[in-house]
Amino acid sequence: MLSVALTKGRLEKQTVKLLEQSSYGIEALKDKGRALVFPDSKKDISYFLVKANDCVTYVEHGVADVGVVGKDTLLESNDQYYEVMDLGIGKCRFILASLPENNVLKKQGHIKIGTKYPTVTKRYFKQKGLDVEIIKIDGSVELAPILGLCDAIVDIMETGTTLKENGLVVFDTVCEISARVIVNKASFRLKRNEIQELLNDLKNAIKETDYD
Amino acid sequence: MVEFTTPPGTRDLIRQECVDKRFLEQHFRNIFTRWGYEEVMTPMLEYYQTFSIANMKEKEVYKILDASNRIVTLRGDMTIPISRVVATKFKDSPLPLRFQYCANVFKVKERLSGNQNESTDCGVELYGVDAPIGDLEILVCALDALSLLEGCQYTLEIGNRNFFHNACTALSLEKSAVEKLADFINRKSLKELQDYVDELAISEKHKHFFKQLPWLCGDLSTIAEARSIAFDESLHAILDELESLCDQLKELGYEQQISIDLSKLPRMEYYTGIIFDAYAEGIGDSILSGGRYDQLTQRFGKNISAIGFAIRLDALATLLHHTPSQKTITLSYPTSMQSEALKQAHKLRETTVVKLLADDTIKQIQIKEEA
C-alpha cells in the first residue's frame, strides 16, 4: 500500500483534480467530513491531508511514501527526500520587493531583509555576493519595509495585488515556485513500481490539462 | 529554573530500548567475529586534522579546543579513525587486516529535524583485499548480517561512484558543474536536474545520460538498461564488473535481497569504487551503508586498499524488538533476615535473575516469579 501526504489548502484542490483526471478513487477526499485518512476506492493508496511543513516531515520519516508540496516549503527544508516531479500547479514565485526608492541591489552599506523564508533569502543573497541581515517575520511581511523595519522583503507573490496595494515594487525574481512530488528515500526503492505508476498517471494528467 | 534535558539530537535510552539495542549489537558482533574481524577501539576524541584530511564536512563536525588550544573533534565516523590506526600502527603488518567496531559517532545535524547527532555504528573494515575479490566478500558479509531482517522487506542496493564520476571526467566537466549535477542526482531533484542539464554545453546523447541516470535503479535488469546510455568504455567496464558481482551474488542465492542504483553517490568523499546501502520498509533512511575507499589510508601515510560498511543500530532498533528469555524472580525478606536472603539469592543467581525487596510486613523469606 502507498500512503500519500497532500498539502492542505491552496494546493489541495488542484492536486485532487489531477488525481481525479487520472481516474483515482478520490471520492472520500472531495467529501471530507471529519476523517483524517482517506482510502482510495480504486487503488491501494491512502491519502492524508497535512500542513506543508508537516508533509515534508511525514515523507522524510517514511510515514508517508509520497508527498505533494510546494517548492517554497522544500526550499526551506533540509533535503532528506527525493523531489521527483514538477506538477506545474500552484505556480507563483519568490520575489525581492520594496518601496520604489529602496533598490537594495544597488544600495551601499548595511542591508536588512525581512522574510518568512530565511533559508531562501540567505541562499539568494549569497549567490548575489551580498552580505545581508535577515529579520524573520511571520505575517504581513509587506508592512516591514513601509514601517522601516527592513530595507526590502523576500516573499511569495501570486498576483502581485497585495504588493501593489502597499506601494511596493518587485526588484527581482528570486525563483519560480510550483507544486512538487516528493518521495521517501526508502520507499523509492521498496515500492518503486507503485510509485512509478502513480508518477506516470500524474504525468499523463498534466499533459491532458495542458491541452485544455 | 534549571532544566535538566539532553542536548538536541541526543537521547536517553531506557529499559526495552537498551535491550533491543544491545541485542542487535551482540548479534552483529557475533557475526563479524565469525568472519574473522577483530575489535578495535579508538578514542571518542580525535584531532580535527584527522577528519579534515578525510574531507569530512566542516560544519558536520563537533569541535572543541583542548588545553593547548588544538582543535579536537568528537569522531564523526569510525572508518576514518580505523584507517588512521591501520596506516600508522599496522603499516608493516601482513595483509589482509580485518577490524570491527561498535561505537558512538557524532555529527552536527540540522536542529529539530528528528535526526540524531549521536548515533551508534556497528561495522567492519577490510584492508588489503582489492576489488572485485574484497567487494564480493564484504557484500556477502553485509547480507549475512542483514539476514536478521528476514520477515521484513529490505534490499541491499549496490552502485559504483565511478559511473557518474567517469562520465563527468570523460566530458571534462568543470568541478562546479560536477558538484551541481551530483547534488541534483543525489536528491533525485529531477526538475532542477533537467533544467540544469539542458543548459550544459554537451551533446544530446550526453544530456540524455544525466537525465536518465536517476532512474537507473531497481532490480538486476537495471544493468542492461544502463548499457543503452553508457557512452564510453570505462562506463561499460563498470557495468561489466557490477554484472559479474551480481551474478556471483545470484549464484549464492541473494538475488531477492539485492538491487542496483547506478545514480548512487557516496555520503563521504573518500569512496573510490562500489558503494552500497541497505533500506528496510518502515525506516526512512538507509540502515547500512558502505563502500570501497582505496585512497584513504594513503592520506595517513600508507597506501592500502580498503572496503567496509557500517550498520546504523539506532534505526534498526526501532524496527526489531527482542524479548529476553531470562527468568526473573523477586525475593522478599524481613530486614532481620537480610544476610540469609543475600545467601539464598546468591545461589539462585546461578540460573535466574534475582531482585531483592526488603519487606517488614512478612516474617519469612518469600520467592515470587515475575510475569
Side-chain angles (χ1 to χ4, degrees), chain B residues 242-261:
Chain B
L242 209 52
E243 195 160 35
S244 92
L245 198 58
C246 290
D247 283 344
Q248 283 171 291
L249 287 168
K250 222 156 108 179
E251 216 179 282
L252 289 162
Y254 290 116
E255 190 180 1
Q256 297 307 316
Q257 287 94 308
I258 56 171
S259 53
I260 300 292
D261 182 1

Side-chain angles (χ1 to χ4, degrees), chain B residues 87-116:
Chain B
T88 54
K89 301 197 166 58
F90 290 92
K91 61 176 187 290
D92 302 318
S93 299
L95 298 168
L97 288 164
R98 289 184 171 81
F99 290 118
Q100 65 160 308
Y101 58 87
C102 187
N104 286 14
V105 295
F106 302 84
K107 262 182 203 162
V108 184
K109 299 258 176 74
E110 202 88 25
R111 275 195 77 174
L112 303 182
S113 58
N115 289 315
Q116 279 180 263

Side-chain angles (χ1 to χ4, degrees), chain A residues 60-62 71 78-86 178 180 184-186 188-192 196 199, chain B residues 110 113-114 153-155 157 186-192 215 217-218 261 264 279-281 283-285:
Chain A
E60 282 183 345
H61 287 256
K71 181 69 182 169
N78 44 42
D79 291 340
Q80 293 302 315
Y81 48 79
Y82 294 142
E83 184 190 322
V84 293
M85 202 173 156
D86 183 355
S178 54
R180 306 294 163 98
N184 172 265
K185 289 184 178 181
F188 190 86
R189 290 152 172 107
L190 298 167
K191 300 183 179 176
R192 186 173 177 228
Q196 206 143 29
L199 293 178
Chain B
E110 202 88 25
S113 58
Q153 209 192 343
Y154 70 94
T155 181
E157 195 180 61
N186 209 11
R187 292 190 283 129
K188 295 207 198 290
S189 187
L190 305 186
K191 164 92 167 108
E192 269 89 354
W215 292 106
C217 55
D261 182 1
K264 188 182 284 299
Y279 291 87
E281 189 170 15
I283 299 180
D285 209 347

Side-chain angles (χ1 to χ4, degrees), chain B residues 113-156:
Chain B
S113 58
N115 289 315
Q116 279 180 263
N117 290 2
E118 178 184 19
S119 56
T120 311
D121 277 0
C122 197
V124 296
E125 313 291 349
L126 170 61
Y127 292 93
V129 186
D130 294 346
I133 304 289
D135 294 4
L136 183 65
E137 177 181 329
I138 218 79
L139 285 171
V140 173
C141 181
L143 285 159
D144 195 4
L146 287 171
S147 63
L148 177 79
L149 287 168
E150 221 163 77
C152 309
Q153 209 192 343
Y154 70 94
T155 181
L156 181 70

Side-chain angles (χ1 to χ4, degrees), chain B residues 221-272:
Chain B
S221 66
T222 308
I223 299 177
E225 222 177 288
R227 298 258 182 219
S228 67
I229 63 158
F231 57 78
D232 85 354
E233 266 171 42
S234 87
L235 298 181
H236 280 288
I238 291 167
L239 295 174
D240 292 341
E241 231 173 80
L242 209 52
E243 195 160 35
S244 92
L245 198 58
C246 290
D247 283 344
Q248 283 171 291
L249 287 168
K250 222 156 108 179
E251 216 179 282
L252 289 162
Y254 290 116
E255 190 180 1
Q256 297 307 316
Q257 287 94 308
I258 56 171
S259 53
I260 300 292
D261 182 1
L262 287 161
S263 64
K264 188 182 284 299
L265 292 165
R267 287 166 197 254
M268 300 294 282
E269 174 269 351
Y270 54 64
Y271 288 114
T272 55

